[in-house]
Amino acid sequence: MTLSRRSFLKLAGAAAALGALNGCAMGPSRGSGGHVVVVGGGFGGAAAAKYIRTFDPSIKVTLIDAALSNYSTCPFSNLVLSGDLKMEDIKVSFDALKNKYGVNLIEDHVDGIDADKRTVRLKSGKTLAYDRLVLSPGIELKYGAIEGYSHDVAQKLPHAWKAGNQTAILRRQLEAMPDGGTFLMVAPPNPFRCPPGPYERASVVADYFKRHKPKSKIIILDPKDKFSKQGLFQEAWDSLYPGMIDWVNPERGGVVASVDAAGMSVKTKDGDTLKAAVINVIPPMQGGKIVTASGLADDKGWAPVNQRSFESTKAKDIYVIGDSCIAGPVPKSGYGANSEAKIAASAIVESLNGGELIEPKWVNTCYSYVSATDAISVAGIYELDAEGKIIEVKDSGGVSPKGGANYKAEGLFAKGWYDGIRADTWG
Amino acid sequence: MRSTASLATALATTLGAALMFGSSAPALAAPSGQTIGLTCVVCHGQGGQGSGAIPPLAAKGADHLYQEMADFKSGKRLSTVMNRHARGYSDEELKAVADYFASLPAK
């Protein structure tokens, strides 16, 4: 066959994009121009910014986040709590996004969106116009859902569910805790960011206690009947930390009614009061404030989006990705957000260039450490069904086999995963 | 040739489809090799160059890459996580993503 001139130009464009992905020449490919504003510099927002610039360097991209100069990843932050990593190990630099991919960076809060005028208003007072807007604000913690808990109380009873200063506070408390103390965790209800996260945290803190404070105990008060990778976690707890971790389900009184920061205690719905030396309260969550405040969320606080493009079903030209959006079975994880970001980036580039949406596919792989060196994993592969809903591909994915034979190998792969996803998102 | 070649369609896949189906090629019903490949590079490194203990994929032969994935899918070859991943793809998709990584340069 002969390629038409038009087709040839498109192939040339695809070749240029591939070249860019390989780190070769970043020649202009599609050329529509336009301005995309991305709110949120985490796994979703940063990857969206990078891949929009990669797919079409003619598009100007501005990334806004209030913590650009002090951003830490939630993945691997549990290893900071256990003392196996330092805070600087989980810090992220946005230099490559700026210098290598030409993303404009603004360190600021976004206070509001005018979807009709297509502008965002910044806390500093500035207004920014966009052609397409990407919102990847992560989660908002619902402090008020637990009596006695608040943003201020979280300085004493940290959630450490947004990495950074909160991680450092909880690490200091665990370090200061005497041997024989109790570390009490209030686990969140579904849906929440990082489903295996609380249980990885309990595991690696147990490993820290085993090495440094072996008489200590961990209590997890959980409003859920079951949790991610439960069989694997409980198997690891029984073999590595026998008797140290007590997971309390709702039937046994795991639902928390209130917390008392002054008395360092937690009261359950069943009326029991538990005292602890360190209390980690992970409250219920909803989509980021900019999503709920802008009328982009449903009545539960999460943003419904077109499942092929991630464009909001409530506002044109606004795309919501990552923890804040509803993406069927794709979990609220860094990997999930990164995977959604690439599909949304492609959809935005196609929409600005008058092209068609691609056939999507998403992946999630979450490693969880069960000790400082050993890990387990869950994998998921997702696609659209005939009705346009995201589904997990039948008979695919799932968790590591039981028995611990892969602990060491998965511990190494977890590190490769972390370095890899950092490079793919910010590097 | 279909009227709109999506940007995120890998050049190799597009050319391959064009050569195979000529001008009557239908719109691709399956995700492209690049769409799939961009979910792999999260672990397997930028441009498929590997990341720590996770092996590189770039510039390996397409047949070799496809066969490895087919063996992971069937269970003929065992791994920690790749069996679970490989079962998420059709044969057509495995070939497309193998072509994608084969087309990327080694470091």
Side-chain angles (χ1 to χ4, degrees), chain A residues 331-410:
Chain A
K332 299 187 185 303
S333 68
Y335 206 126
N338 170 294
S339 199
E340 291 158 12
K342 289 164 184 166
I343 299 300
S346 167
I348 288 165
V349 169
E350 295 303 328
S351 106
L352 286 170
N353 280 284
E356 288 172 8
L357 293 174
I358 59 164
E359 192 62 34
K361 196 112 179 177
W362 300 266
V363 168
N364 177 62
T365 313
C366 287
Y367 286 95
S368 301
Y369 280 96
V370 294
S371 75
T373 53
D374 297 359
I376 54 178
S377 65
V378 62
I381 302 96
Y382 311 92
E383 61 190 8
L384 289 180
D385 70 3
E387 277 93 52
K389 279 199 312 219
I390 303 176
I391 54 163
E392 187 159 10
V393 179
K394 203 167 171 286
D395 298 326
S396 73
V399 298
S400 309
K402 279 197 161 192
N406 293 341
Y407 277 176
K408 296 282 180 239
E410 295 216 287

Side-chain angles (χ1 to χ4, degrees), chain A residues 4 44 57 84 98 111 124 137 157 185 197 217 221 224 227 276 317 337 344 352 360 379 404 419:
Chain A
S4 69
D84 296 297
K98 184 181 174 189
D111 274 352
S124 61
L157 311 183
M185 178 196 293
K217 296 274 182 225
L221 296 179
K224 303 183 293 297
F227 59 87
D317 299 330
L352 286 170
D419 293 341

Side-chain angles (χ1 to χ4, degrees), chain A residues 104-116:
Chain A
N104 303 302
L105 302 175
I106 298 180
E107 186 158 7
D108 206 337
H109 275 285
V110 174
D111 274 352
I113 301 166
D114 188 328
D116 294 329

Side-chain angles (χ1 to χ4, degrees), chain B residues 45-85:
Chain B
Q46 294 300 281
Q49 301 294 332
S51 177
I54 301 174
L57 304 174
K60 309 256 168 152
D63 291 346
H64 169 73
L65 287 170
Y66 165 75
Q67 195 56 51
E68 286 204 282
M69 287 299 282
D71 289 348
F72 284 136
K73 187 177 174 181
S74 70
K76 187 176 164 190
R77 188 174 162 195
L78 292 179
S79 90
T80 54
V81 75
M82 287 313 298
N83 302 97
R84 291 176 265 155
H85 278 296

Side-chain angles (χ1 to χ4, degrees), chain A residues 17 45 70 73 124 134 149 181 189 221 246 260 280 285 326 354 361:
Chain A
N70 188 24
T73 66
S124 61
V134 179
Y149 201 52
L221 296 179
D246 186 12
D260 175 7
N280 171 209
M285 300 165 204
I326 300 170
K361 196 112 179 177

